[in-house]
Amino acid sequence: MTYTNPLTYVDGLSRTNPDPFVARFAGLYWCYSTDESGVNLSCSPDLVAWSHKGYAFQDPDGRNYWAPCVVYADGRFWMYVSWAPKTSDDPHDEHLRCLVSDRPEGPFTVVRKMFSTFSIDADVTRDPQTGDWLLFYSTNDATGLDNQGTGTSILVDRLIDMAHPEGNARVAVVPTLEQEIFQKDRFGDGRDWYTIEGATYFRRGDLSLLTYSGNAYTGTDYFIGYARSRREGPIFDQRWEKYPNAHTWGPLVRRGNGVEGTGHNSIVRAPNLVDDWIVYHGRNEAIPLNPAQEQRMMRIDPLRLDGERLQTPAPTSTPQEAPARPTVFDALSRASDRWSLPEDILFTSDDGWISNFLRTTRANRTEVRLNHVTDAYVAEVWFRMHRSDAGARSGLLVCGQGPSDHLDLLIDAATRTVSLVRIENGFSRTIAKEKLGNDLTDAWYRLQVTRTFGSVDVYLNGRLVLSAESDWTDRGYVGLLSVGTKTDFSSFGLTDHVALRGQRLTRWLPKLFRSGQAFVTIDDGLVASRGQPVALQLQVARAGWAYDFDLDLLSEQGTARIEIVEADGAAAAVLTLGKGSADLVIRDQSNSRASFTTPLADLQTTARLVLKSEEIQVEVSSERWNVPASGRGLHVHSLVFHNANLRGIELTDRPQTDHSLRGE
C-alpha cells in the first residue's frame, strides 16, 4: 500500500487542511484543522484514506478557527482552538478557548476562554510519569515587545484541570534566527517581527522533542524546526535547545520537491503503535500564491530518530510506502477465528462514541484468547468496566500457556489499583501493584501494555501506571481479561516488537544475540573500545522485520558491520558504518554485486534495515536505499563492531499482509 502527497479523500475530492492536528482514538485517526468557518474534521482508518466529516465546531459569531488540538481525558474529548469575532479583522483578536464533547466528532461546546490576549496553537500533552496535563501554546507576551527577537514565542504551563492553566507559564522556545522573521520592520521603527509557533511535544527513547514552525505561514519559506531536551524528570521542567543550536538553522522540513509553505505539524503513531509520522501542511508551488484563497493541504511522511537527530523525507510528492500495519488489529465488532471465544461473549453496540464492541457477560473470570503467541510486543485496547457488588477487574492476559500458567494485568476499580499477577501451577502471587490516582468510572479507557520478555510497562490513558519485572520470558498467548464484572472491549491492536535500551539492553540482549567472545560486558550499552571487535550473532532469525541499531562510533576509526543473510545461510548484503561513510553491498540472485554509499552526518547514528520478501530497505543518516532482494526469507545474521558502542536496538514486525479486522 502506498500514498502520495497531498493526501486525498475517498470521495475523490481534494480539500485543504491547514494546521492539521491528527489524533488516534480507538483505532481511527481524526484530523482537526484550520478553516475560516469552523473546525474542519476528517477521519481515516490508516492515515492514508480520508473521509470528510464537515465541521466539528462553529460559533455563529466567530471566524478564523486556528490550529485546533483535541485530547481524550476523563472520558471526554477536549478541544483547544483559537478564533476571532466576526466583526474583527485584527489577527491579534485570536484567543484560545477550551471546548468539550462526548464524541470525537462533536458537537463541542465552549467551556471557557483560556486567555484574553493573543493566544494560538495549543498542544496539550500528558506527562506519562507525573500524570500532569501540560499546555504548550504560542503568544506574544514573552518577546512581543523586546528589541531583539520581537514577536511570537512558545510557552508551556501545567493545567489545573483540562480548562484552567496553572498561571505559571514559562518560555519553551523563542525566536533566534533570521529565517524565523515573519515580517521585516513591522512597526516602522527598525524592529523585525519573528514568529515561533505550532509546538508539538513527543518523546523518543531517552530524548524529549518539541517541533515548531517558524517564519510566516502565508509565505513560501514557512518551515518546521525542532528543539531537544535530555533532562530527566517532569516535562514542565525541561530546558529546550534548538537543533543544531540557537544560532544555526537546521530545519526538519522546508520547501522542496515542488512544495512550499511547509509547516504546522502534529506527530502521531502509525497503526503499528511503534513508528512516528509527521502530519503537516504545504502548498503546490506551481500554483501562484493567492492570499485570498486557502491552498494549504495535508501531508504525511515518516519520522525517525537518527542518533539524536530527527530525519524525515518530507516534503514528498511521489508515491511512498504507507504507514506500517500492526501484526494484528481487530475492532472487536464481530466474531473472528483469530480469537478463542467463550460461549457467553457478546458482540453488541450502543449509541456511544464507540458504538460496536465485544462484551463479557460472566461475573467470574473470563479470558478471550488471541490465537497468536509472542514474547515481546506492544498492545493497545480500549475497555469499559461495568462495576457491581462483585467488584470490577479488567485488563490484559499478558502471556499464558494454559489455565494454571499465565501472567495477568488487572485494573481494579474497587481498590483503584493496577496489579501484575503471576499464576504458576495454580498458585497466585502478585509481582507488582500500584495505586491509581483517580476513580475508575464507566468511561472508556485506553490501555497500552508493552512486554519485553520479562519486562512489562502499563499505560492507562497515556500515563505510566506500572513498570515491573517478572520471571516469565517465554512465548505465550495474549488475551483480554475480565474478572467479577462485565467488560466492554474495542479496537485491539498488537505489534510484535522489541526495544532494548539502558537496563533492558543489559538484561535482554542475550535473548536476541549470542557473543562470539568468551565474555562481553554490557553496561549502559555494549562497548567495544579496545582489543578485539565484538561479534554478535542473532539467536533467532526474524525474517520480514525492521531492525534499528543505535550506534556510537567512538572515534573516526570506529566501525560497525551488519550482515544480512538468506534463509539458506547465503550472504545477501553487508552494511558497513565507519570512516565517515555508510556503505551497503548487495548480492542478488545472479551473484552480481551492487554497492551504495553515503556520508555519515555524525559519529552517533541509527541504522534501520527493513527486510521484506523481495526488497531490502536501508536508512542511514538522511539516505534511504530500496534494493531488490532474492525473496527467500532475509534476516539479520550478525553485528560486528569495534571502537563503537551499541546503545540500543529495536526489532519490529513488518507484516506483508493486512491482518486487520475493522468491522462495519
Side-chain angles (χ1 to χ4, degrees):
M1 186 175 177
T2 63
Y3 71 94
T4 303
N5 285 319
L7 298 177
T8 55
Y9 284 76
V10 294
D11 60 9
L13 299 178
S14 296
R15 293 180 171 88
T16 58
N17 277 292
D19 310 327
F21 179 87
V22 174
R24 189 171 188 265
F25 304 125
L28 291 175
Y29 292 93
W30 298 85
C31 176
Y32 305 85
S33 64
T34 291
D35 192 273
E36 166 69 20
S37 302
V39 176
N40 201 25
L41 179 64
S42 303
C43 186
S44 171
D46 55 13
L47 283 176
V48 175
W50 289 90
S51 300
H52 188 240
K53 300 295 183 181
Y55 291 119
F57 175 77
Q58 292 177 292
D59 183 331
D61 298 320
R63 62 183 294 268
N64 280 353
Y65 298 80
W66 282 4
C69 162
V70 177
V71 298
Y72 181 77
D74 302 328
R76 308 185 80 185
F77 296 88
W78 301 86
M79 178 186 287
Y80 304 85
V81 62
S82 304
W83 70 86
K86 275 186 177 178
T87 56
S88 174
D89 292 325
D90 186 351
H92 294 96
D93 284 340
E94 292 281 338
H95 297 161
L96 187 64
R97 277 92 162 176
C98 174
L99 299 82
V100 71
S101 175
D102 293 326
R103 316 173 77 96
E105 69 271 27
F108 284 85
T109 57
V110 178
V111 178
R112 67 184 295 265
K113 183 189 286 190
M114 301 184 74
F115 303 100
S116 58
T117 57
F118 178 75
S119 44
I120 60 171
D121 295 5
D123 181 60
V124 174
T125 189
R126 193 173 199 188
D127 191 319
Q129 300 292 334
T130 66
D132 292 338
W133 286 94
L134 297 109
L135 169 68
F136 289 92
Y137 64 104
S138 292
T139 180
N140 300 337
D141 294 349
T143 57
L145 300 177
D146 289 357
N147 289 326
Q148 298 294 326
T150 308
T152 306
S153 303
I154 296 171
L155 278 66
V156 61
D157 201 355
R158 296 187 186 94
L159 292 175
I160 299 172
D161 56 39
M162 299 308 293
H164 292 83
E166 188 177 67
N168 188 31
R170 62 172 44 169
V171 173
V173 184
V174 298
T176 57
L177 298 166
E178 182 180 358
Q179 291 84 357
E180 296 163 353
I181 294 177
F182 181 94
Q183 183 179 341
K184 290 276 191 179
D185 194 18
R186 186 173 190 180
F187 306 108
D189 60 3
R191 286 182 299 162
D192 300 327
W193 186 269
Y194 292 73
T195 292
I196 290 290
E197 60 187 10
T200 297
Y201 172 88
F202 70 110
R203 187 171 178 87
R204 197 63 173 157
D206 298 327
L207 201 62
S208 290
L209 297 139
L210 192 71
T211 60
Y212 63 87
S213 296
N215 202 284
Y217 73 92
T218 54
T220 59
D221 293 318
Y222 200 47
F223 73 92
I224 299 171
Y226 66 99
R228 304 176 295 187
S229 177
R230 300 171 182 82
R231 177 179 290 193
E232 295 298 323
I235 295 173
F236 184 73
D237 295 333
Q238 301 291 332
R239 293 294 185 269
W240 298 98
E241 300 174 359
K242 285 182 179 177
Y243 173 83
N245 58 64
H247 304 290
T248 304
W249 191 45
L252 176 65
V253 182
R254 60 179 298 189
R255 65 183 300 184
N257 295 325
V259 186
E260 66 180 21
T262 53
H264 201 111
N265 69 277
S266 53
I267 307 293
V268 69
R269 287 286 169 92
N272 72 350
L273 308 173
V274 176
D275 299 337
D276 290 317
W277 281 71
I278 186 168
V279 187
Y280 60 103
H281 70 234
R283 294 187 299 267
N284 184 343
E285 70 175 8
I287 300 175
L289 178 60
N290 181 2
Q293 179 183 1
E294 184 57 73
Q295 297 170 301
R296 295 171 290 174
M297 301 182 72
M298 178 168 58
R299 300 167 179 269
I300 64 171
D301 278 304
L303 183 70
R304 73 182 187 93
L305 195 62
D306 174 27
E308 291 191 342
R309 300 172 308 280
L310 289 175
Q311 296 282 6
T312 178
T316 66
S317 300
T318 57
Q320 305 288 316
E321 183 178 350
R325 298 180 292 265
T327 305
V328 175
F329 179 84
D330 197 330
L332 300 176
S333 60
R334 61 182 185 268
S336 164
D337 59 6
R338 67 166 52 108
W339 299 92
S340 296
L341 298 173
E343 293 182 357
D344 51 359
I345 290 295
L346 297 178
F347 290 92
T348 187
S349 63
D350 62 26
D351 60 356
W353 71 274
I354 296 179
S355 57
N356 297 288
F357 44 86
L358 176 154
R359 173 172 290 173
T360 65
T361 60
R362 288 186 296 184
N364 57 351
R365 179 185 175 92
T366 302
E367 294 180 8
V368 183
R369 299 181 186 176
L370 178 68
N371 298 325
H372 174 77
V373 295
T374 178
D375 54 8
Y377 59 83
V378 55
E380 179 182 278
V381 69
W382 288 74
F383 75 98
R384 178 174 62 179
M385 290 187 282
H386 299 254
R387 288 187 288 184
S388 68
D389 293 340
R393 287 178 290 167
S394 305
L396 205 69
L397 200 161
V398 177
C399 53
Q401 292 182 341
S404 61
D405 199 13
H406 47 90
L407 186 64
D408 296 347
L409 186 282
L410 287 169
I411 309 292
D412 192 322
T415 62
R416 300 194 302 277
T417 58
V418 54
S419 302
L420 190 66
V421 180
R422 174 77 162 99
I423 291 85
E424 186 175 13
N425 294 327
F427 294 95
S428 174
R429 58 187 171 91
T430 299
I431 293 174
K433 177 183 282 191
E434 297 290 345
K435 273 282 188 181
L436 298 173
N438 59 332
D439 291 336
L440 290 168
T441 66
D442 58 357
W444 285 96
Y445 286 84
R446 179 170 66 95
L447 176 65
Q448 188 177 73
V449 175
T450 300
R451 180 194 171 199
T452 308
F453 310 120
S455 303
V456 178
D457 293 328
V458 181
Y459 294 83
L460 190 64
N461 281 355
R463 182 181 182 183
L464 179 64
V465 294
L466 185 143
S467 185
E469 302 292 328
S470 79
D471 57 1
W472 189 312
T473 63
D474 297 333
R475 293 164 62 84
Y477 54 78
V478 181
L480 311 174
L481 190 58
S482 177
V483 180
T485 187
K486 297 177 182 179
T487 305
D488 301 330
F489 293 99
S490 180
S491 304
F492 174 87
L494 179 146
T495 297
D496 290 327
H497 175 68
V498 180
L500 302 182
R501 292 181 181 85
Q503 293 182 351
R504 298 220 169 142
L505 180 73
T506 302
R507 183 176 183 190
W508 298 119
L509 189 64
K511 287 282 289 185
L512 297 180
F513 290 91
R514 62 176 179 268
S515 170
Q517 283 81 10
F519 299 102
V520 174
T521 301
I522 312 172
D523 185 12
D524 192 26
L526 184 58
V527 181
S529 58
R530 58 185 180 273
Q532 294 295 318
V534 170
L536 305 177
Q537 185 172 338
L538 197 69
Q539 296 265 46
V540 180
R542 297 176 186 260
W545 283 53
Y547 299 74
D548 287 276
F549 296 95
D550 294 336
L551 292 156
D552 293 342
L553 304 180
L554 302 178
S555 72
E556 295 293 340
Q557 304 307 312
T559 60
R561 181 176 181 272
I562 304 168
E563 183 182 21
I564 302 168
V565 302
E566 298 174 353
D568 59 6
V574 173
L575 175 66
T576 303
L577 310 174
K579 298 182 179 179
S581 69
D583 301 287
L584 177 67
V585 177
I586 299 286
R587 182 185 64 79
D588 63 18
Q589 289 175 297
S590 62
N591 287 324
S592 62
R593 294 162 63 89
S595 61
F596 308 84
T597 186
T598 188
L600 283 179
D602 202 329
L603 292 178
Q604 187 178 76
T605 190
T606 300
R608 166 170 288 186
L609 298 89
V610 184
L611 308 181
K612 305 177 182 180
S613 58
E614 297 180 355
E615 183 181 71
I616 299 173
Q617 180 179 303
V618 178
E619 294 182 63
V620 184
S621 194
S622 60
E623 190 66 61
R624 177 173 174 174
W625 300 306
N626 294 305
V627 184
S630 67
R632 291 185 285 177
L634 299 168
H635 63 271
V636 168
H637 176 261
S638 62
L639 169 65
V640 181
F641 55 103
H642 188 218
N643 285 327
N645 176 22
L646 177 64
R647 289 185 299 110
I649 182 172
E650 283 195 46
L651 280 67
T652 308
D653 182 27
R654 284 291 196 271
Q656 298 298 296
T657 56
D658 191 352
H659 295 289
S660 65
L661 184 65
R662 295 196 170 274
E664 301 300 326

